[in-house]
Amino acid sequence: MERELLRNEFEGMGGVIRDSLIDQEVNRTILTTFNGDRSAFLKNLSLSGMTIRAFREMTKKQLQVQIMRASKYDQEIPPTPEEIQQEYESTKEQYRDLTKDKIKFKKIFIPMLGDDSASTPEVQLNLAELIAKEIKSKNATFEEMAKRYSKDLYAEKGGDWPVTERSTLSPESAAIIFGAQPGEIIGPLVDSTGFTIVLVEKKELAPPPPLSAIKEQIDIMARNKRSNERYKKWVERLRKKAIVKIYI
């Protein structure tokens, strides 16, 4: 419906799409989609049941919509300092250098295969799940379970790992661990080597960059937001004045 509203507005304003512009767009499609092979383009049209005339008409309608949308974007008007600051405050976390994030946690690692030949991956997973359940229900402390069951360098220290940088963790593990809150117990997490239970203690997240360092990106986002809001309001006005007929 939005496309039809834009097309009607275009035609109501007396807008005209020149044949040469349609030719350019058709040729661009042939070049980018069919590597410049016009025969392949025509064959594809035939297989889809569309004539070249119908394709040109479709292209004309698309151009009408694109022109009307572009006419409502005021990218040349710079955002105000208030708009810049507001956009920065709402998006600055997206620009943090995540590789500099640090986290402190305790860890219990249960290998995929235990020392006993009868310890299958299923048995080890059941063990890891039991350990996590005991800790979460407070029947045992994390430190006790780590010293008793964990098989890594820090088991004797109750699973107490040193402060760890996000960049040293796998992307999958980092996303899960850093997504948890301090005091939260995660796991068992599964990978090819075994099962991991983690107690997050403290996170040290890298600060966002100052506005001066990302002002260009913030400026673009502020312009886009304002233009999108302006465009939506304009389309809504078109909807209100449009006459829509529904045939049943």
Side-chain angles (χ1 to χ4, degrees), residues 134-169:
E134 288 293 290
I135 296 172
K136 291 176 181 178
S137 62
K138 301 188 184 304
N139 291 328
T141 67
F142 198 98
E143 293 78 4
E144 291 170 346
M145 293 289 100
K147 289 179 180 179
R148 183 174 178 182
Y149 294 106
S150 187
K151 303 295 182 181
D152 68 8
L153 295 175
Y154 298 96
E156 290 301 317
K157 295 183 178 181
D160 190 17
W161 274 61
V163 174
T164 303
E165 294 184 354
R166 181 193 286 261
S167 58
T168 65
L169 301 170

Side-chain angles (χ1 to χ4, degrees), residues 82-216:
E82 291 76 16
E83 288 176 321
I84 290 288
Q85 187 64 39
Q86 184 178 17
E87 187 65 25
Y88 171 71
E89 293 299 332
S90 65
T91 62
K92 62 185 179 182
E93 293 299 318
Q94 301 175 16
Y95 296 93
R96 290 194 309 104
D97 184 355
L98 299 184
T99 63
K100 295 182 179 179
D101 287 350
K102 298 178 181 179
I103 193 166
K104 181 74 172 63
F105 59 84
K106 287 183 169 65
K107 172 183 172 181
I108 296 173
F109 175 70
I110 306 299
M112 188 67 69
L113 297 174
D115 298 330
D116 188 339
S117 59
S119 296
T120 64
E122 290 77 13
V123 170
Q124 295 295 86
L125 174 58
N126 289 336
L127 173 60
E129 290 176 338
L130 177 62
I131 292 170
K133 182 178 179 181
E134 288 293 290
I135 296 172
K136 291 176 181 178
S137 62
K138 301 188 184 304
N139 291 328
T141 67
F142 198 98
E143 293 78 4
E144 291 170 346
M145 293 289 100
K147 289 179 180 179
R148 183 174 178 182
Y149 294 106
S150 187
K151 303 295 182 181
D152 68 8
L153 295 175
Y154 298 96
E156 290 301 317
K157 295 183 178 181
D160 190 17
W161 274 61
V163 174
T164 303
E165 294 184 354
R166 181 193 286 261
S167 58
T168 65
L169 301 170
S170 70
E172 297 79 11
S173 295
I176 295 172
I177 296 175
F178 276 92
Q181 296 302 314
E184 186 174 349
I185 296 171
I186 309 165
L189 305 177
V190 183
D191 62 26
S192 60
T193 61
F195 312 96
T196 301
I197 304 164
V198 175
L199 168 60
V200 177
E201 295 186 299
K202 183 175 65 174
K203 294 188 289 186
E204 300 174 17
L205 303 182
L211 174 57
S212 58
I214 55 173
K215 191 172 186 303
E216 183 177 350

Side-chain angles (χ1 to χ4, degrees), residues 73-80 83 219 222-224 226-227 230:
Y73 277 74
D74 52 357
Q75 293 292 322
E76 297 306 317
I77 302 176
T80 65
E83 288 176 321
D219 182 282
R223 289 172 189 254
N224 287 340
R226 184 182 56 197
S227 293
R230 181 169 178 258

Side-chain angles (χ1 to χ4, degrees), residues 54-82:
F55 184 82
R56 287 177 62 84
E57 182 63 24
M58 181 182 71
T59 301
K60 175 184 175 181
K61 292 179 179 180
Q62 291 172 345
L63 289 171
Q64 289 174 333
V65 172
Q66 291 171 13
I67 289 172
M68 291 306 296
R69 283 175 174 165
S71 70
K72 294 303 173 182
Y73 277 74
D74 52 357
Q75 293 292 322
E76 297 306 317
I77 302 176
T80 65
E82 291 76 16

